[in-house]
Amino acid sequence: MKAQLSVMTVAMAGLAVAAVVPSDLEISRQVARGEFLARRDLSPTDSYTPGLVTCPSTSIMRNASTISDNEASFIAGRREYVKPHLVDFLDRANLTDFNATEFLANATIDIGMAFSGGGYRAMLQGAGVLAAADSRTPNSTVNGGIGGLLQSSVYLAGLSGGNWLLGSVVINNFTTIRNLQGDPNVWDLEHSIFNPGGWKIWETVDYYSTLVDDVKGKEQAGFDISLTDYWGRALSNQFFNESDGGPELTFSNIKDLEAFKSYEMPFPMVVADGRPYNTKIVSLNSTVFEFNPFEMGSWDPTLFAMVDLQYLGSNLSAGVPVNDTACYSGYDNAGFIVGTSSSLFNEFLLELNSSGVEGVLYDAATAVLTGISSEDDDIAVYDPNPFYGVNPALSYMWNETELTLVDGGEDNQNVPLYPLIQPARNVDVIFASDNSADTDYNWPNGSSLVATYERQFVSIGNGTVFPSVPDTESFLGLGLTSQPTWFGCDSKNLTAKSPLIVYLANHPYSYYSNTSTFKMEYEEDEVAGMIENGYNAATQGNGTLNDDWQSCLACAIIHRETERRGVSPSSQCQACLDKYCWDGSVYNGTVTTAEFEPTVSIESAAAAMLLAARASTVAVAIGVLATFLVM
Ligand SMILES: *[C@@H]1O[C@H](CO)[C@@H](O)[C@H](O)[C@H]1NC(C)=O
Ligand SMILES: *[C@@H]1O[C@H](CO)[C@@H](O)[C@H](O)[C@H]1NC(C)=O
Ligand SMILES: *[C@@H]1O[C@H](CO)[C@@H](O)[C@H](O)[C@H]1NC(C)=O
Ligand SMILES: *[C@@H]1O[C@H](CO)[C@@H](O)[C@H](O)[C@H]1NC(C)=O
Ligand SMILES: *[C@@H]1O[C@H](CO)[C@@H](O)[C@H](O)[C@H]1NC(C)=O
Ligand SMILES: *[C@@H]1O[C@H](CO)[C@@H](O)[C@H](O)[C@H]1NC(C)=O
Ligand SMILES: *[C@@H]1O[C@H](CO)[C@@H](O)[C@H](O)[C@H]1NC(C)=O
Ligand SMILES: *[C@@H]1O[C@H](CO)[C@@H](O)[C@H](O)[C@H]1NC(C)=O
Ligand SMILES: *[C@@H]1O[C@H](CO)[C@@H](O)[C@H](O)[C@H]1NC(C)=O
Ligand SMILES: *[C@@H]1O[C@H](CO)[C@@H](O)[C@H](O)[C@H]1NC(C)=O
Ligand SMILES: *[C@@H]1O[C@H](CO)[C@@H](O)[C@H](O)[C@H]1NC(C)=O
Ligand SMILES: CC(=O)N[C@H]1CO[C@H](CO)[C@@H](O)[C@@H]1O
């Protein structure tokens, strides 16, 4: 029954598009693909397989007492880039009795942005937020917009679905959301990542055999592989505008991009969790890992070490190469790292039976999976373990020959705040986009912040400080997810320096953006609705919901520096603090996560949407019918 209907959908889709031939634009795009590659310093084998290189004379590993020299020098350059953009942002906010040029003359304000996990929902919501913050988005700097916040930020952190967003933007040379949304070579979400050829079934078969070949090369070179290798290759095809998803493209190649070298992009960071085989993790005992263009490792006391990302794959013992002339490079494949952060989705590759994939395609896809154990299938295997023998007394993980990492959200810290609250980074304010699915209807309830808050009180917190937040019932009951909420507004109420958190939860501003984390296909209008909702969240409906939002965001940005100077906030900024800061109260009633069903805030937009939806209903009726039948 199911099989027949699926075939029917494919056939119907085929009828509709059979006449389409590649346009000139499409062909020129295909020719242009790979353009970035020619300019980069890539994997030594020019493929997915890591290759032998001579070990560097400098040390490959260091302890995590500070940020790296490379990061420090990037941050210095980025701050120079940020300054005029931040002045511009603050000037546009029209703060009373405030001269941004003067205020910033002797001050440095470091802003971080964090994008949570949550599959494509998180990617698309986050994309709307990022587009709103990006001054390159048309009209983002007028009409109450917050364009320029991205250009004013020093750090950019992503996890799982949030990292699909970050990876898409960063790896494609810091492109814009507009470009990603409009480019058929990337973000083609109408076709599932498991069936990218759509009705052109042979394209999908070809796709699977390319995945198999890429990964086979790595395995034959002697590296243990895991499902994440295939998952990462699949993600690369969807997110990176390179032929075959750029199998030779590494995460450390980011540092060779023009947009990185010119400090045009913030410093990107990716979060994953350590999880030994057959164990469970919670935020209170997971070793959290970060990847950045220079390094990967953990600030946690269980490791407290960072390894040079470029030499991942090398055989190291206590941080020293076992054979000086036999280091490896090219292991830190960009898709592999994006896949590590989102390894939760590995399971999808194992659920082909229920994914509607059949016949020759099913055979090709299952060929990918033979030989992979289904236990611990969310694990990304890093072989050899770069931290082997680093400090075996601290954890048996450093006695293992393989390092095993999982999706960064598996310890419930689904907003990647970890790299941003490290004292070594000294961030002043974090703009946190939370698109988690905590409630029954896939809305966030602040549990990610609660997890990060609690972690500071156990030894693994290692000196990190995070502001007080209420329990999750209060997040819902007090409406802290229905409008932007700030945490840690009063430094005097904190035990040590900690950033101010500007928390922005997923909420139906103009669109019901609570799609399932595991929804793997989005129509064009769904993509547009999700992105617009994120944009409306970040701008509060271009100021229509809260006309003080733009100036209040400026107040949040300068707040820590104002406190450092020991002066009182202006009356305008004080009003913002009174309005947006969580005041320490908790909710006395009960809200169960099953009951929590917010309604759209921007009625006019919702009404317009409904009308548009009605208008298109007729046109797509047949397609919709087919979709329902196969569900
Ligand atoms: C700032 O002032 C300019 C010029 O008076 C005005 O056009 C703009 O709307 C104001 N912006 C805000 C956020 O109040
Ligand atoms: C802000 O201060 C700078 C530097 O002192 C000065 O050149 C500029 O004219 C001031 N801007 C305004 C609007 O007063
Ligand atoms: C910046 O610092 C210098 C040296 O401490 C001082 O002379 C100057 O007045 C300060 N500028 C502002 C705008 O505070
Ligand atoms: C920008 O805003 C102007 C004026 O509201 C409008 O005419 C124009 O179409 C907008 N541009 C884009 C790309 O949205
Ligand atoms: C990458 O971005 C930079 C900065 O926007 C630009 O100068 C450069 O030409 C871009 N490179 C490619 C290959 O598009
Ligand atoms: C972490 O804590 C959980 C719950 O207490 C426990 O089941 C698990 O084994 C612990 N994991 C590790 C790696 O210690
Ligand atoms: C070190 O690696 C090189 C290059 O692969 C190899 O020729 C050499 O035999 C190795 N040395 C040892 C001691 O294993
Ligand atoms: C790791 O191995 C070393 C050497 O065999 C041993 O002394 C140490 O106790 C082990 N550490 C853990 C945490 O099991
Ligand atoms: C705000 O502006 C964006 C981009 O111009 C637009 O897509 C969105 O619909 C606007 N929101 C409202 C509530 O007008
Ligand atoms: C201030 O700190 C206390 C003690 O940590 C905490 O209970 C309270 O919620 C904090 N208030 C705010 C507004 O963060
Ligand atoms: C909760 O109850 C306490 C004590 O009865 C009261 O002081 C507080 O105002 C109540 N808070 C809310 C948000 O209702
Ligand atoms: C601030 C702080 O407590 N840092 C500690 C983190 O863990 C390492 C390794 O145990 C210690 O050396 C640091 O002092």
Side-chain angles (χ1 to χ4, degrees), residues 174-211:
F174 200 55
T175 189
T176 62
I177 300 305
R178 221 160 202 258
N179 287 345
L180 290 168
Q181 203 179 344
D183 189 334
N185 288 329
V186 288
W187 282 23
D188 175 10
L189 307 184
E190 275 184 66
H191 296 131
S192 155
I193 192 165
F194 307 108
N195 185 16
W199 61 275
K200 292 176 284 187
I201 214 94
W202 58 92
E203 284 196 359
T204 303
V205 173
D206 188 42
Y207 160 86
Y208 277 103
S209 64
T210 308
L211 297 192

Side-chain angles (χ1 to χ4, degrees), residues 137-140 142-143 178:
T137 305
N139 288 346
S140 66
V142 295
N143 306 328
R178 221 160 202 258

Side-chain angles (χ1 to χ4, degrees), residues 56-108:
S57 53
T58 52
S59 175
I60 294 182
M61 197 165 294
R62 63 178 191 96
N63 81 31
S65 51
T66 58
I67 58 170
S68 67
D69 294 344
N70 282 328
E71 179 179 337
S73 99
F74 177 86
I75 297 304
R78 176 67 185 171
R79 283 176 177 156
E80 287 302 308
Y81 175 89
V82 157
K83 198 156 251 181
H85 289 91
L86 186 52
V87 167
D88 192 41
F89 182 92
L90 296 173
D91 278 347
R92 265 186 279 117
N94 292 354
L95 297 185
T96 50
D97 302 325
F98 180 81
N99 182 321
T101 312
E102 250 169 42
F103 189 83
L104 292 175
N106 286 341
T108 298

Side-chain angles (χ1 to χ4, degrees), residues 468 493 582-584:
S468 295
N493 201 38
W582 174 59
D583 62 0

